[in-house]
């Protein structure tokens, strides 16, 4: 049952992904309408009825079709999946979970595995990265020799979800 609702239409006409900081006092929405990461403050953690828009960060220079967003554990790195260039784009944040301090760092191509990447997730130490792709109808796994550093990523395996879903859009894991 729906308990709360919060519209992001004023900032993003085509939202594609959502993530939160660790305590839920910040919410981030990415979409391909504005190709930006939008930041919202929540006065009560994980309660979207207390959300208010604070700022955005454009990722259009790296990809004009932003689909997924996530952060490393302390919020000093942000990762945005782009469908136009089939990349994971990495951004450094000088202040954790404050996108006004973000700057572009590097990218990693996932085009060999999927030309329609939709979302991204990492394990807790950043040594595994997962990209869900609509083109291949699968989850692609990458090993990172240095946690949360995509320049050290290499493809290791994939898992098809085609039997369950032919247009997968998002991915998430429990803590372990």
């Amino acid at each position: 049952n729906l308990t709360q609702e919060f519209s992001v239409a004023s900032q993003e006409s085509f939202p594609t992904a959502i993530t939160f900081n660790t305590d839920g006092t910040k919410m981030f929405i990415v979409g391909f309408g504005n190709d930006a990461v939008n930041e919202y403050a929540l006065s009560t953690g994980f309660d979207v009825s207390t959300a208010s828009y604070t700022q955005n960060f454009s990722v259009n220079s790296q990809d004009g079709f932003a689909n997924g967003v996530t952060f490393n554990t302390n919020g000093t790195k942000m990762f945005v999946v782009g469908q136009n260039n089939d990349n994971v784009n990495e951004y450094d944040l000088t202040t954790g979970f404050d996108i006004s301090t973000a700057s572009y760092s590097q990218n990693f191509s996932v085009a060999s595995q999927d030309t329609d990447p939709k979302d991204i997730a990492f394990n807790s130490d950043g040594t595994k990265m997962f990209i869900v792709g609509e083109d291949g109808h699968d989850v692609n796994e990458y090993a990172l020799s240095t946690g949360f550093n995509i320049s050290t990523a290499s493809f290791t395996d994939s898992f098809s979800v085609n039997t369950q879903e032919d247009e997968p859009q998002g991915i998430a894991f429990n803590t372990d």
Side-chain angles (χ1 to χ4, degrees), residues 6-15 18 27 29 34 38 40:
F6 179 77
S7 175
V8 297
S10 297
Q11 292 81 43
E12 179 55 60
S13 56
F14 294 100
I18 184 173
M27 175 175 71
I29 303 285
N34 292 331
N38 297 284
Y40 302 84

Side-chain angles (χ1 to χ4, degrees), residues 62-146:
Q62 287 74 52
D63 202 291
F65 208 109
N67 275 331
V69 62
T70 196
F71 291 84
N72 67 345
T73 312
N74 66 5
T76 57
K77 287 188 181 233
M78 177 174 69
F79 304 88
V80 177
V81 175
Q83 183 178 329
N84 276 355
N85 296 324
D86 308 321
N87 283 340
V88 175
N89 297 291
E90 180 182 312
Y91 302 85
D92 294 324
L93 287 76
T94 54
T95 303
F97 296 107
D98 181 351
I99 61 172
S100 71
T101 69
S103 61
Y104 174 71
S105 174
Q106 59 186 333
N107 69 56
F108 176 78
S109 176
V110 297
S112 295
Q113 288 75 48
D114 205 290
T115 57
D116 197 358
K118 294 297 185 185
D119 204 6
I120 182 171
F122 287 90
N123 68 344
S124 59
D125 66 1
T127 57
K128 289 190 178 198
M129 177 175 71
F130 304 90
I131 303 292
V132 66
E134 187 175 331
D135 184 44
H137 317 290
D138 56 6
V139 176
N140 296 291
E141 179 183 320
Y142 301 83
L144 286 76
S145 56
T146 303

Side-chain angles (χ1 to χ4, degrees), residues 10-84:
S10 297
Q11 292 81 43
E12 179 55 60
S13 56
F14 294 100
T16 53
I18 184 173
T19 194
F20 291 85
N21 69 345
T22 340
D23 65 2
T25 56
K26 287 192 177 186
M27 175 175 71
F28 303 89
I29 303 285
V30 69
F32 62 83
N34 292 331
D35 297 311
V37 177
N38 297 284
E39 181 183 305
Y40 302 84
L42 285 76
S43 55
T44 302
F46 298 106
D47 182 349
V48 296
S49 71
T50 68
S52 60
Y53 173 73
T54 54
Q55 60 189 333
N56 73 17
F57 178 80
S58 176
V59 296
N60 193 31
S61 295
Q62 287 74 52
D63 202 291
F65 208 109
N67 275 331
V69 62
T70 196
F71 291 84
N72 67 345
T73 312
N74 66 5
T76 57
K77 287 188 181 233
M78 177 174 69
F79 304 88
V80 177
V81 175
Q83 183 178 329
N84 276 355

